[in-house]
Amino acid sequence: NLPRKDSNAVTMGARENLCISGNDESEGQEAVRKIKEETVNGKGTILYAIVPTFLHCDLASMKSIRQFVQQFRAKNCPLHVLVNNAGVMLVPERKTEDGFEEHFGLNYLGHFLLTNLLLETLKQSGTRSRNARVITVSSATHYVGRLHLNDLQSRCSYSPHGAYAQSKLALVLFTYRLQHLMTADGSHVTANVVDPGVVNTELYKNVCWATKVVKWMTAWLFFKTPEEGASTSIYAAVSPELEGVGGIYLYNEQRTKSTDVSYDEELQRRLWTESCKMTRISDVGSRDL
């Protein structure tokens, strides 16, 4: 599980190809090294046919995302699974290089643009018997989120908690709208959203000192390890039970009901349209295909 800003997204192509993207070269290459070690035994025998690579991608930069997609496409690899997993939480009010409020810009718009730019590759890779899959990591925080379509950048009144919750709600709305469009288009692509639970990672580095102390004292009891936190994303990515199944919210590998407002199809459509304007891409979702 890679829930930090410097570990933006994980994309999986054919079974033997694993592409890890992030904005920290050293951490990315370290992840590649560890995967290689775990897939080869002490005698040099390859245990799993996995070839990991790292490509730089900063989801806080529209330019970086487009460059990443160009590099990925140049590999001419199929794309069977895309895991949108980057995130920042409770950061002070600040903007990405494109001028977006950081929670909304990185947590949501970055994934929105990345997924849309890779959508044709996903469609080409999916088949009737093996759909391509998009897995997006949200959070239980989305249950208290409010989507302010007239102020998505939180300019009127900034709250780190409110901005974070809004970005996580936006990811759920995006997932459901994406699934609707893929179904209407007859594409062999499914989109699901997962809640990893409370995971002990660096995502909490911006919380107040008192919360950090409590976290330090109770993490062993109440927090999941990164490996445990990744389990639902992995389940969504590879489980045969979810073949051809999309538009669902998963927690602890179980289908769960998301907040009521997330099922508002008009809100899903309006957010999609506004997101296309912000990222300057064609709005194929403005109509039902």
Side-chain angles (χ1 to χ4, degrees):
N1 195 28
L2 305 172
R4 302 190 302 274
K5 175 183 175 181
D6 56 0
S7 302
N8 299 323
V10 179
T11 59
M12 296 178 67
R15 292 182 179 178
E16 69 274 12
N17 297 311
L18 171 65
C19 178
I20 300 174
S21 70
N23 70 354
D24 188 304
E25 180 77 21
S26 61
E27 288 197 5
Q29 295 298 348
E30 177 63 14
V32 168
R33 184 189 65 78
K34 288 182 178 180
I35 292 171
K36 288 181 177 179
E37 284 185 351
E38 293 175 3
T39 55
V40 177
N41 65 17
K43 299 180 180 179
T45 302
I46 297 176
L47 301 177
Y48 306 101
I50 298 176
V51 180
T53 59
F54 173 80
L55 290 179
H56 180 272
C57 181
D58 183 355
L59 286 196
S61 166
M62 302 291 109
K63 179 180 179 181
S64 178
I65 294 169
R66 292 180 182 277
Q67 290 176 337
F68 165 80
V69 171
Q70 288 181 342
Q71 290 178 310
F72 182 83
R73 285 177 175 169
K75 291 179 174 292
N76 293 316
C77 291
L79 177 56
H80 293 126
V81 180
L82 169 65
V83 182
N84 293 317
N85 188 63
V88 291
M89 184 176 75
L90 306 183
V91 298
E93 186 173 9
R94 60 194 186 200
K95 297 180 179 179
T96 67
E97 68 174 48
D98 301 289
F100 301 122
E101 186 278 316
E102 190 168 6
H103 290 99
F104 194 78
L106 193 159
N107 293 2
Y108 169 67
L109 282 180
H111 290 126
F112 177 87
L113 178 61
L114 178 67
T115 302
N116 273 277
L117 294 181
L118 291 171
L119 207 48
E120 283 306 312
T121 306
L122 284 160
K123 290 180 180 180
Q124 293 167 10
S125 303
T127 64
R128 184 179 299 275
S129 61
R130 184 187 180 192
N131 281 218
R133 305 185 186 190
V134 178
I135 294 91
T136 298
V137 179
S138 182
S139 162
T141 307
H142 92 274
Y143 286 105
V144 298
R146 296 291 182 271
L147 194 77
H148 303 286
L149 280 171
N150 296 324
D151 186 26
L152 292 172
Q153 305 305 317
S154 303
R155 294 189 180 97
C156 293
S157 178
Y158 182 77
S159 159
H161 294 83
Y164 176 68
Q166 176 178 242
S167 71
K168 291 302 180 179
L169 173 58
L171 289 170
V172 181
L173 290 160
F174 153 71
T175 298
Y176 294 163
R177 181 60 181 172
L178 176 60
Q179 181 59 54
H180 173 81
L181 293 173
M182 294 301 95
T183 300
D185 189 36
S187 298
H188 300 300
V189 179
T190 59
N192 291 309
V193 60
V194 305
D195 174 2
V198 183
V199 187
N200 188 15
T201 69
E202 293 183 15
L203 191 62
Y204 294 86
K205 64 183 179 182
N206 291 299
V207 300
C208 67
W209 67 268
T211 301
K212 288 181 179 179
V213 171
V214 173
K215 174 180 175 292
W216 176 77
M217 295 175 63
T218 62
W220 65 275
L221 182 61
F222 298 111
F223 284 62
K224 294 182 178 180
T225 65
E227 291 76 16
E228 292 170 337
S231 64
T232 302
S233 293
I234 295 171
Y235 172 77
V238 303
S239 173
E241 298 174 8
L242 294 182
E243 181 56 54
V245 178
I248 61 175
Y249 185 91
L250 293 162
Y251 174 64
N252 284 343
E253 301 180 15
Q254 300 293 322
R255 301 186 192 191
T256 306
K257 186 177 182 295
S258 54
T259 186
D260 289 342
V261 72
S262 66
Y263 298 103
D264 185 332
E265 294 184 1
E266 177 62 15
L267 186 61
Q268 296 167 15
R269 185 192 65 78
R270 292 176 65 191
L271 174 63
W272 185 284
T273 296
E274 190 61 30
S275 302
C276 287
K277 293 177 182 177
M278 290 179 168
T279 55
R280 300 181 180 180
I281 61 175
S282 176
D283 183 8
V284 296
S286 62
R287 64 189 187 282
D288 288 335
L289 301 174

